[in-house]
């Protein structure tokens, strides 16, 4: 059973650059959520994609954007990188049709982004 | 007030003891509650979820939920050094996204 996969594992960028992170959901899942986790903090919700549409969005600026493809994989794009964007970026997949409070999310290994 | 609060720890327990991890939440509309374990440098791993008041047991783990007190806990029986990690509490209301606490660091001393 293929779990959630993310690429790349690590990434180093400089301020002002743009970055794209990728995620493939767990087999059978159709919903992808993205989180940012700063050191010593819990994950913070960025947005969620279902049926190729952004279904929900957290309190993140428009510099953060995403996309979901027909095969349910997803990308997270961050423009005009700031030092404060350095974090672990986590992708979580779930079965969107279950919806509601029973929606159980499983995390990928994450991408560690360092902005210099 | 944070939406989900956890004591940051570290919580130190001897091997074989019961570790008790606690979490309080502010949104009375919260319906589902999750515990994730996160080893240093790794991603969160789902341990348990609970929807109804009371206890839910899975192996050495027991989740306890009290919606009236807005309180959820995780008990780990027969704690092992391999249980040493950060434990994240997350809550969900309806179709809203997961909201996480900052986590409690658990240290199990051999």
């Amino acid at each position: 059973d293929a779990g959630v996969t993310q690429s790349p594992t690590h990434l180093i960028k400089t301020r002002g650059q743009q970055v794209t992170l990728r995620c493939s959901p767990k087999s059978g899942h159709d919903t992808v959520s993205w989180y940012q986790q700063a050191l010593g903090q819990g994950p913070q919700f960025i947005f969620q994609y279902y049926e190729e549409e952004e279904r929900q969005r957290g309190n993140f600026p428009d510099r953060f954007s995403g996309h979901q493809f027909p095969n349910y994989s997803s990308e997270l794009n961050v423009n005009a990188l700031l030092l404060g964007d350095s974090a672990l970026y986590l992708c979580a997949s779930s079965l969107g049709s279950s919806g509601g409070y029973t929606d159980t999310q499983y995390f990928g290994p994450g991408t560690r982004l360092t902005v210099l | 007030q944070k939406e989900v609060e956890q004591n940051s720890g570290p919580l130190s327990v001897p091997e074989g003891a019961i570790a008790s991890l606690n979490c309080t939440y502010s949104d009375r509309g919260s319906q589902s509650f999750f515990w994730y374990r996160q080893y240093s440098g790794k991603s969160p791993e789902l341990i348990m979820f609970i929807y109804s008041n009371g206890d839910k047991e899975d192996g050495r783990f027991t989740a306890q939920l009290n919606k009236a007190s807005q309180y959820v806990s995780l008990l780990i029986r027969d704690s092992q050094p391999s249980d040493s990690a950060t434990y994240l509490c997350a809550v969900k209301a309806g179709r809203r996204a997961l909201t996480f606490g900052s986590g409690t660091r658990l240290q199990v001393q051999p």
Side-chain angles (χ1 to χ4, degrees):
Chain A
D1 181 17
V4 182
T5 60
Q6 291 186 245
S7 63
T9 305
H10 295 89
L11 207 50
I12 299 176
K13 293 287 189 178
T14 57
R15 280 179 298 174
Q17 285 190 311
Q18 178 263 344
V19 68
T20 297
L21 311 181
R22 295 175 177 82
C23 170
S24 290
K26 182 180 168 70
S27 179
H29 285 181
D30 57 8
T31 300
V32 172
S33 302
W34 287 93
Y35 294 83
Q36 179 196 67
Q37 187 176 25
L39 203 60
Q41 300 297 315
Q44 297 293 312
F45 175 70
I46 302 174
F47 42 56
Q48 183 182 77
Y49 276 85
Y50 173 67
E51 293 188 339
E52 302 180 52
E53 297 285 335
E54 183 182 288
R55 183 157 73 173
Q56 293 183 63
R57 188 179 183 92
N59 189 25
F60 277 80
D62 292 345
R63 297 188 298 110
F64 290 77
S65 63
H67 188 76
Q68 186 178 35
F69 299 94
N71 67 352
Y72 308 122
S73 67
S74 177
E75 288 182 348
L76 164 65
N77 301 292
V78 187
N79 293 323
L81 285 168
L82 303 173
L83 295 179
D85 295 332
S86 295
L88 179 66
Y89 286 84
L90 296 161
C91 165
S93 78
S94 56
L95 188 57
S97 57
S98 72
Y101 68 94
T102 60
D103 179 20
T104 302
Q105 297 185 12
Y106 298 86
F107 284 89
T111 294
R112 174 73 61 186
L113 173 64
T114 302
V115 182
L116 302 176
Chain B
Q1 181 190 11
K2 288 184 179 179
E3 291 186 57
V4 180
E5 298 220 36
Q6 297 181 255
N7 188 316
S8 62
L11 172 66
S12 186
V13 301
E15 184 175 354
I18 296 175
S20 178
L21 303 160
N22 305 315
C23 171
T24 58
Y25 59 94
S26 61
D27 183 358
R28 284 198 172 272
S30 298
Q31 296 171 282
S32 48
F33 307 86
F34 302 83
W35 284 100
Y36 288 85
R37 177 175 62 197
Q38 188 172 28
Y39 293 112
S40 181
K42 302 296 184 182
S43 65
E45 173 192 8
L46 180 67
I47 299 175
M48 291 189 70
F49 55 86
I50 185 167
Y51 306 143
S52 304
N53 277 329
D55 294 0
K56 179 182 179 183
E57 187 175 316
D58 184 0
R60 295 188 297 114
F61 299 97
T62 298
Q64 299 176 317
L65 175 61
N66 184 325
K67 289 185 179 180
S69 301
Q70 296 175 248
Y71 177 91
V72 58
S73 64
L74 179 70
L75 301 179
I76 306 175
R77 290 181 299 281
D78 188 23
S79 294
Q80 300 297 310
S82 60
D83 294 325
S84 297
T86 296
Y87 289 80
L88 296 164
C89 171
V91 305
K92 192 175 192 299
R95 292 184 176 273
R96 288 172 56 187
L98 282 175
T99 301
F100 283 85
S102 296
T104 298
R105 189 158 62 95
L106 173 66
Q107 293 179 340
V108 181
Q109 306 295 334

